[in-house]
Amino acid sequence: MNVIQKLFSKPKKAKVEFCQRNLEQFLQEENYAAYNEFLSHKNIAYKEFECQSKCKECRLSPYAIVNGDFVTAENSDELLKKMAEYID
């Protein structure tokens, strides 16, 4: 890649996918604003699916699929931190 392309290339959007049922189960109301702020960044594209067929994982803890990788945490606050670290 030449220097001009490196200097002026657009940063790739991070793809974040959620399971609606998992969010309903684990996302706490006090974290709504933090999630909204995180997901409103212009370098993040997110999508919420009704079900992602990961029922075993879904019952155990909050998760998201970030750029194709499965990211899980103990609670929704920790998941948000892990997603931010993963994207940075």
Side-chain angles (χ1 to χ4, degrees):
M1 183 181 268
N2 66 38
V3 176
I4 301 261
Q5 285 179 326
K6 286 182 183 178
L7 290 173
F8 295 106
S9 65
K10 292 181 182 179
K12 288 187 176 182
K13 280 196 172 204
K15 290 173 54 177
V16 181
E17 299 174 352
F18 296 102
C19 172
Q20 178 183 355
R21 293 176 183 181
N22 187 263
L23 286 175
E24 289 172 355
Q25 183 176 353
F26 290 104
L27 183 59
Q28 299 162 346
E29 193 170 332
E30 59 266 14
N31 291 339
Y32 287 0
Y35 268 76
N36 187 39
E37 181 182 336
F38 174 74
L39 296 172
S40 66
H41 287 113
K42 59 185 172 185
N43 67 328
I44 297 175
Y46 72 94
K47 189 168 185 178
E48 188 177 320
F49 295 90
E50 187 174 329
C51 181
Q52 292 183 313
S53 299
K54 299 190 182 303
C55 300
K56 186 182 272 187
E57 296 90 345
C58 188
R59 280 191 289 268
L60 297 176
S61 63
Y63 78 88
I65 298 175
V66 182
N67 293 334
D69 293 333
F70 192 79
V71 179
T72 187
E74 292 291 319
N75 56 53
S76 59
D77 189 42
E78 183 182 326
L79 178 63
L80 184 59
K81 290 174 186 172
K82 282 186 173 186
M83 287 188 301
E85 289 172 7
Y86 190 90
I87 290 172
D88 290 338

